[in-house]
Amino acid sequence: MPKVIVVKGEKGSGKTSAIHEAARLLGCGLTTNSPADIFMITYLKLGRTKCGIGIASSGDSAEIIKENIDALYPHHLDYVITACSAPRAGMPIIEAFAALEGAELVTIDSNRQPSATPEEISTKVAAIAQQIRSNIP
């Protein structure tokens, strides 16, 4: 069954960084020089299975989320990893996409920590990335 994995939280909460780190853990070839907002479709062999994975790290508005979903939908991927900073307007779009694909919807919260140290932020980003990765066998 396909999965749609959404990292949800306000702007500046580490969603994009976590998605980048998860893509790196999956072996998608991202580097520290990769653009902040990524949109990619890749096919990876995970174990003995080839998986189609769509990654859209930008989710600051319902319009951007809809554009990402419109671009991902025709590919009927095994996994979609995306961000959502506009839960009231964006999550219904993502939920409809998951239902249309017959996909399991996994939501991971990324809460903003205004007074967090760089080390605490890195730890949080790594933990979210690991959560994303653990949803893809």
PDB file of all heavy atoms in Angstrom, residues 73-98:
ATOM      1  N   TYR A  73       0.775  13.388  -8.732  1.00  0.00           N
ATOM      2  CA  TYR A  73      -0.341  12.461  -8.945  1.00  0.00           C
ATOM      3  C   TYR A  73      -0.177  11.541 -10.164  1.00  0.00           C
ATOM      4  O   TYR A  73      -0.393  10.336 -10.057  1.00  0.00           O
ATOM      5  CB  TYR A  73      -1.669  13.223  -9.017  1.00  0.00           C
ATOM      6  CG  TYR A  73      -2.824  12.312  -9.343  1.00  0.00           C
ATOM      7  CD1 TYR A  73      -3.259  11.367  -8.406  1.00  0.00           C
ATOM      8  CD2 TYR A  73      -3.447  12.340 -10.586  1.00  0.00           C
ATOM      9  CE1 TYR A  73      -4.294  10.495  -8.699  1.00  0.00           C
ATOM     10  CE2 TYR A  73      -4.481  11.477 -10.882  1.00  0.00           C
ATOM     11  CZ  TYR A  73      -4.896  10.553  -9.942  1.00  0.00           C
ATOM     12  OH  TYR A  73      -5.903   9.690 -10.249  1.00  0.00           O
ATOM     13  N   PRO A  74       0.218  12.067 -11.334  1.00  0.00           N
ATOM     14  CA  PRO A  74       0.264  11.182 -12.507  1.00  0.00           C
ATOM     15  C   PRO A  74       1.262  10.022 -12.382  1.00  0.00           C
ATOM     16  O   PRO A  74       1.182   9.066 -13.141  1.00  0.00           O
ATOM     17  CB  PRO A  74       0.684  12.113 -13.651  1.00  0.00           C
ATOM     18  CG  PRO A  74       0.486  13.488 -13.158  1.00  0.00           C
ATOM     19  CD  PRO A  74       0.546  13.441 -11.665  1.00  0.00           C
ATOM     20  N   HIS A  75       2.173  10.107 -11.450  1.00  0.00           N
ATOM     21  CA  HIS A  75       3.225   9.084 -11.338  1.00  0.00           C
ATOM     22  C   HIS A  75       2.816   7.878 -10.485  1.00  0.00           C
ATOM     23  O   HIS A  75       3.506   6.860 -10.513  1.00  0.00           O
ATOM     24  CB  HIS A  75       4.504   9.721 -10.786  1.00  0.00           C
ATOM     25  CG  HIS A  75       5.020  10.798 -11.679  1.00  0.00           C
ATOM     26  ND1 HIS A  75       5.754  10.540 -12.810  1.00  0.00           N
ATOM     27  CD2 HIS A  75       4.861  12.139 -11.641  1.00  0.00           C
ATOM     28  CE1 HIS A  75       6.047  11.671 -13.427  1.00  0.00           C
ATOM     29  NE2 HIS A  75       5.510  12.660 -12.725  1.00  0.00           N
ATOM     30  N   HIS A  76       1.745   7.987  -9.708  1.00  0.00           N
ATOM     31  CA  HIS A  76       1.265   6.888  -8.863  1.00  0.00           C
ATOM     32  C   HIS A  76       2.428   6.226  -8.119  1.00  0.00           C
ATOM     33  O   HIS A  76       2.733   5.059  -8.306  1.00  0.00           O
ATOM     34  CB  HIS A  76       0.461   5.874  -9.681  1.00  0.00           C
ATOM     35  CG  HIS A  76      -0.685   6.508 -10.384  1.00  0.00           C
ATOM     36  ND1 HIS A  76      -1.797   6.978  -9.718  1.00  0.00           N
ATOM     37  CD2 HIS A  76      -0.879   6.795 -11.699  1.00  0.00           C
ATOM     38  CE1 HIS A  76      -2.639   7.510 -10.596  1.00  0.00           C
ATOM     39  NE2 HIS A  76      -2.113   7.421 -11.794  1.00  0.00           N
ATOM     40  N   LEU A  77       3.051   7.003  -7.263  1.00  0.00           N
ATOM     41  CA  LEU A  77       4.259   6.588  -6.552  1.00  0.00           C
ATOM     42  C   LEU A  77       3.938   5.703  -5.354  1.00  0.00           C
ATOM     43  O   LEU A  77       2.823   5.704  -4.839  1.00  0.00           O
ATOM     44  CB  LEU A  77       5.017   7.838  -6.088  1.00  0.00           C
ATOM     45  CG  LEU A  77       5.447   8.748  -7.246  1.00  0.00           C
ATOM     46  CD1 LEU A  77       5.702  10.150  -6.752  1.00  0.00           C
ATOM     47  CD2 LEU A  77       6.659   8.168  -7.945  1.00  0.00           C
ATOM     48  N   ASP A  78       4.963   4.979  -4.899  1.00  0.00           N
ATOM     49  CA  ASP A  78       4.807   4.141  -3.708  1.00  0.00           C
ATOM     50  C   ASP A  78       4.824   4.986  -2.443  1.00  0.00           C
ATOM     51  O   ASP A  78       4.141   4.677  -1.471  1.00  0.00           O
ATOM     52  CB  ASP A  78       5.933   3.099  -3.644  1.00  0.00           C
ATOM     53  CG  ASP A  78       5.915   2.190  -4.857  1.00  0.00           C
ATOM     54  OD1 ASP A  78       4.938   1.441  -5.007  1.00  0.00           O
ATOM     55  OD2 ASP A  78       6.873   2.255  -5.662  1.00  0.00           O
ATOM     56  N   TYR A  79       5.637   6.036  -2.443  1.00  0.00           N
ATOM     57  CA  TYR A  79       5.782   6.899  -1.278  1.00  0.00           C
ATOM     58  C   TYR A  79       5.846   8.354  -1.724  1.00  0.00           C
ATOM     59  O   TYR A  79       6.486   8.671  -2.722  1.00  0.00           O
ATOM     60  CB  TYR A  79       7.069   6.576  -0.499  1.00  0.00           C
ATOM     61  CG  TYR A  79       7.095   5.162  -0.002  1.00  0.00           C
ATOM     62  CD1 TYR A  79       7.731   4.163  -0.723  1.00  0.00           C
ATOM     63  CD2 TYR A  79       6.447   4.812   1.184  1.00  0.00           C
ATOM     64  CE1 TYR A  79       7.730   2.853  -0.278  1.00  0.00           C
ATOM     65  CE2 TYR A  79       6.440   3.505   1.631  1.00  0.00           C
ATOM     66  CZ  TYR A  79       7.084   2.530   0.898  1.00  0.00           C
ATOM     67  OH  TYR A  79       7.072   1.233   1.335  1.00  0.00           O
ATOM     68  N   VAL A  80       5.188   9.208  -0.968  1.00  0.00           N
ATOM     69  CA  VAL A  80       5.282  10.650  -1.177  1.00  0.00           C
ATOM     70  C   VAL A  80       5.649  11.255   0.170  1.00  0.00           C
ATOM     71  O   VAL A  80       5.027  10.954   1.189  1.00  0.00           O
ATOM     72  CB  VAL A  80       3.954  11.245  -1.693  1.00  0.00           C
ATOM     73  CG1 VAL A  80       3.984  12.773  -1.652  1.00  0.00           C
ATOM     74  CG2 VAL A  80       3.660  10.756  -3.095  1.00  0.00           C
ATOM     75  N   ILE A  81       6.679  12.086   0.157  1.00  0.00           N
ATOM     76  CA  ILE A  81       7.114  12.799   1.361  1.00  0.00           C
ATOM     77  C   ILE A  81       6.914  14.280   1.077  1.00  0.00           C
ATOM     78  O   ILE A  81       7.439  14.800   0.091  1.00  0.00           O
ATOM     79  CB  ILE A  81       8.600  12.520   1.673  1.00  0.00           C
ATOM     80  CG1 ILE A  81       8.856  11.020   1.809  1.00  0.00           C
ATOM     81  CG2 ILE A  81       9.035  13.274   2.926  1.00  0.00           C
ATOM     82  CD1 ILE A  81      10.329  10.643   1.797  1.00  0.00           C
ATOM     83  N   THR A  82       6.145  14.944   1.926  1.00  0.00           N
ATOM     84  CA  THR A  82       5.877  16.353   1.681  1.00  0.00           C
ATOM     85  C   THR A  82       5.777  17.117   2.999  1.00  0.00           C
ATOM     86  O   THR A  82       5.733  16.529   4.068  1.00  0.00           O
ATOM     87  CB  THR A  82       4.605  16.531   0.812  1.00  0.00           C
ATOM     88  OG1 THR A  82       4.520  17.892   0.390  1.00  0.00           O
ATOM     89  CG2 THR A  82       3.350  16.137   1.557  1.00  0.00           C
ATOM     90  N   ALA A  83       5.748  18.439   2.867  1.00  0.00           N
ATOM     91  CA  ALA A  83       5.649  19.316   4.034  1.00  0.00           C
ATOM     92  C   ALA A  83       4.335  20.075   3.980  1.00  0.00           C
ATOM     93  O   ALA A  83       3.753  20.253   2.912  1.00  0.00           O
ATOM     94  CB  ALA A  83       6.809  20.312   4.032  1.00  0.00           C
ATOM     95  N   CYS A  84       3.900  20.531   5.138  1.00  0.00           N
ATOM     96  CA  CYS A  84       2.679  21.334   5.202  1.00  0.00           C
ATOM     97  C   CYS A  84       2.805  22.360   6.317  1.00  0.00           C
ATOM     98  O   CYS A  84       2.821  22.021   7.496  1.00  0.00           O
ATOM     99  CB  CYS A  84       1.457  20.452   5.438  1.00  0.00           C
ATOM    100  SG  CYS A  84      -0.078  21.399   5.486  1.00  0.00           S
ATOM    101  N   SER A  85       2.906  23.638   5.908  1.00  0.00           N
ATOM    102  CA  SER A  85       2.937  24.741   6.881  1.00  0.00           C
ATOM    103  C   SER A  85       1.573  25.395   7.006  1.00  0.00           C
ATOM    104  O   SER A  85       1.397  26.295   7.815  1.00  0.00           O
ATOM    105  CB  SER A  85       3.935  25.815   6.434  1.00  0.00           C
ATOM    106  OG  SER A  85       5.231  25.318   6.444  1.00  0.00           O
ATOM    107  N   ALA A  86       0.652  24.980   6.168  1.00  0.00           N
ATOM    108  CA  ALA A  86      -0.683  25.577   6.159  1.00  0.00           C
ATOM    109  C   ALA A  86      -1.708  24.468   6.392  1.00  0.00           C
ATOM    110  O   ALA A  86      -2.450  24.096   5.486  1.00  0.00           O
ATOM    111  CB  ALA A  86      -0.923  26.268   4.818  1.00  0.00           C
ATOM    112  N   PRO A  87      -1.746  23.934   7.629  1.00  0.00           N
ATOM    113  CA  PRO A  87      -2.586  22.752   7.866  1.00  0.00           C
ATOM    114  C   PRO A  87      -4.075  22.953   7.596  1.00  0.00           C
ATOM    115  O   PRO A  87      -4.732  22.048   7.089  1.00  0.00           O
ATOM    116  CB  PRO A  87      -2.338  22.399   9.327  1.00  0.00           C
ATOM    117  CG  PRO A  87      -1.604  23.526   9.925  1.00  0.00           C
ATOM    118  CD  PRO A  87      -1.032  24.354   8.819  1.00  0.00           C
ATOM    119  N   ARG A  88      -4.604  24.116   7.895  1.00  0.00           N
ATOM    120  CA  ARG A  88      -6.043  24.333   7.698  1.00  0.00           C
ATOM    121  C   ARG A  88      -6.409  24.264   6.216  1.00  0.00           C
ATOM    122  O   ARG A  88      -7.410  23.667   5.847  1.00  0.00           O
ATOM    123  CB  ARG A  88      -6.456  25.682   8.287  1.00  0.00           C
ATOM    124  CG  ARG A  88      -7.954  25.856   8.311  1.00  0.00           C
ATOM    125  CD  ARG A  88      -8.378  27.042   9.107  1.00  0.00           C
ATOM    126  NE  ARG A  88      -8.185  26.736  10.531  1.00  0.00           N
ATOM    127  CZ  ARG A  88      -8.054  27.625  11.484  1.00  0.00           C
ATOM    128  NH1 ARG A  88      -8.079  28.896  11.198  1.00  0.00           N
ATOM    129  NH2 ARG A  88      -7.904  27.261  12.730  1.00  0.00           N
ATOM    130  N   ALA A  89      -5.585  24.854   5.361  1.00  0.00           N
ATOM    131  CA  ALA A  89      -5.882  24.861   3.927  1.00  0.00           C
ATOM    132  C   ALA A  89      -5.191  23.722   3.180  1.00  0.00           C
ATOM    133  O   ALA A  89      -5.728  23.207   2.201  1.00  0.00           O
ATOM    134  CB  ALA A  89      -5.458  26.204   3.329  1.00  0.00           C
ATOM    135  N   GLY A  90      -4.016  23.332   3.634  1.00  0.00           N
ATOM    136  CA  GLY A  90      -3.223  22.341   2.902  1.00  0.00           C
ATOM    137  C   GLY A  90      -3.541  20.894   3.199  1.00  0.00           C
ATOM    138  O   GLY A  90      -3.501  20.040   2.305  1.00  0.00           O
ATOM    139  N   MET A  91      -3.846  20.573   4.456  1.00  0.00           N
ATOM    140  CA  MET A  91      -4.084  19.169   4.805  1.00  0.00           C
ATOM    141  C   MET A  91      -5.282  18.560   4.073  1.00  0.00           C
ATOM    142  O   MET A  91      -5.200  17.401   3.657  1.00  0.00           O
ATOM    143  CB  MET A  91      -4.226  18.996   6.324  1.00  0.00           C
ATOM    144  CG  MET A  91      -2.897  18.967   7.061  1.00  0.00           C
ATOM    145  SD  MET A  91      -1.686  17.767   6.443  1.00  0.00           S
ATOM    146  CE  MET A  91      -2.463  16.223   6.919  1.00  0.00           C
ATOM    147  N   PRO A  92      -6.390  19.288   3.856  1.00  0.00           N
ATOM    148  CA  PRO A  92      -7.473  18.677   3.082  1.00  0.00           C
ATOM    149  C   PRO A  92      -7.040  18.249   1.671  1.00  0.00           C
ATOM    150  O   PRO A  92      -7.490  17.235   1.158  1.00  0.00           O
ATOM    151  CB  PRO A  92      -8.545  19.774   3.024  1.00  0.00           C
ATOM    152  CG  PRO A  92      -8.290  20.597   4.247  1.00  0.00           C
ATOM    153  CD  PRO A  92      -6.795  20.593   4.415  1.00  0.00           C
ATOM    154  N   ILE A  93      -6.132  19.023   1.059  1.00  0.00           N
ATOM    155  CA  ILE A  93      -5.617  18.672  -0.271  1.00  0.00           C
ATOM    156  C   ILE A  93      -4.796  17.388  -0.180  1.00  0.00           C
ATOM    157  O   ILE A  93      -4.959  16.469  -0.983  1.00  0.00           O
ATOM    158  CB  ILE A  93      -4.764  19.829  -0.847  1.00  0.00           C
ATOM    159  CG1 ILE A  93      -5.631  21.073  -1.058  1.00  0.00           C
ATOM    160  CG2 ILE A  93      -4.075  19.411  -2.146  1.00  0.00           C
ATOM    161  CD1 ILE A  93      -4.848  22.341  -1.318  1.00  0.00           C
ATOM    162  N   ILE A  94      -3.934  17.318   0.823  1.00  0.00           N
ATOM    163  CA  ILE A  94      -3.090  16.139   1.003  1.00  0.00           C
ATOM    164  C   ILE A  94      -3.942  14.918   1.356  1.00  0.00           C
ATOM    165  O   ILE A  94      -3.715  13.816   0.841  1.00  0.00           O
ATOM    166  CB  ILE A  94      -2.012  16.409   2.069  1.00  0.00           C
ATOM    167  CG1 ILE A  94      -1.048  17.507   1.573  1.00  0.00           C
ATOM    168  CG2 ILE A  94      -1.255  15.135   2.423  1.00  0.00           C
ATOM    169  CD1 ILE A  94      -0.125  18.064   2.630  1.00  0.00           C
ATOM    170  N   GLU A  95      -4.931  15.102   2.210  1.00  0.00           N
ATOM    171  CA  GLU A  95      -5.825  13.995   2.586  1.00  0.00           C
ATOM    172  C   GLU A  95      -6.600  13.476   1.376  1.00  0.00           C
ATOM    173  O   GLU A  95      -6.765  12.260   1.207  1.00  0.00           O
ATOM    174  CB  GLU A  95      -6.786  14.446   3.684  1.00  0.00           C
ATOM    175  CG  GLU A  95      -6.102  14.657   5.016  1.00  0.00           C
ATOM    176  CD  GLU A  95      -6.928  15.460   6.015  1.00  0.00           C
ATOM    177  OE1 GLU A  95      -8.020  15.967   5.649  1.00  0.00           O
ATOM    178  OE2 GLU A  95      -6.476  15.582   7.172  1.00  0.00           O
ATOM    179  N   ALA A  96      -7.070  14.377   0.519  1.00  0.00           N
ATOM    180  CA  ALA A  96      -7.803  13.972  -0.688  1.00  0.00           C
ATOM    181  C   ALA A  96      -6.882  13.197  -1.635  1.00  0.00           C
ATOM    182  O   ALA A  96      -7.282  12.183  -2.216  1.00  0.00           O
ATOM    183  CB  ALA A  96      -8.385  15.196  -1.388  1.00  0.00           C
ATOM    184  N   PHE A  97      -5.639  13.658  -1.768  1.00  0.00           N
ATOM    185  CA  PHE A  97      -4.653  12.967  -2.609  1.00  0.00           C
ATOM    186  C   PHE A  97      -4.399  11.556  -2.080  1.00  0.00           C
ATOM    187  O   PHE A  97      -4.402  10.587  -2.846  1.00  0.00           O
ATOM    188  CB  PHE A  97      -3.360  13.778  -2.655  1.00  0.00           C
ATOM    189  CG  PHE A  97      -2.193  13.051  -3.266  1.00  0.00           C
ATOM    190  CD1 PHE A  97      -2.207  12.713  -4.618  1.00  0.00           C
ATOM    191  CD2 PHE A  97      -1.080  12.742  -2.515  1.00  0.00           C
ATOM    192  CE1 PHE A  97      -1.132  12.059  -5.190  1.00  0.00           C
ATOM    193  CE2 PHE A  97       0.001  12.084  -3.079  1.00  0.00           C
ATOM    194  CZ  PHE A  97      -0.020  11.742  -4.425  1.00  0.00           C
ATOM    195  N   ALA A  98      -4.202  11.430  -0.772  1.00  0.00           N
ATOM    196  CA  ALA A  98      -3.959  10.116  -0.174  1.00  0.00           C
ATOM    197  C   ALA A  98      -5.158   9.191  -0.415  1.00  0.00           C
ATOM    198  O   ALA A  98      -4.983   8.018  -0.778  1.00  0.00           O
ATOM    199  CB  ALA A  98      -3.671  10.253   1.320  1.00  0.00           C
TER     200      ALA A  98
END
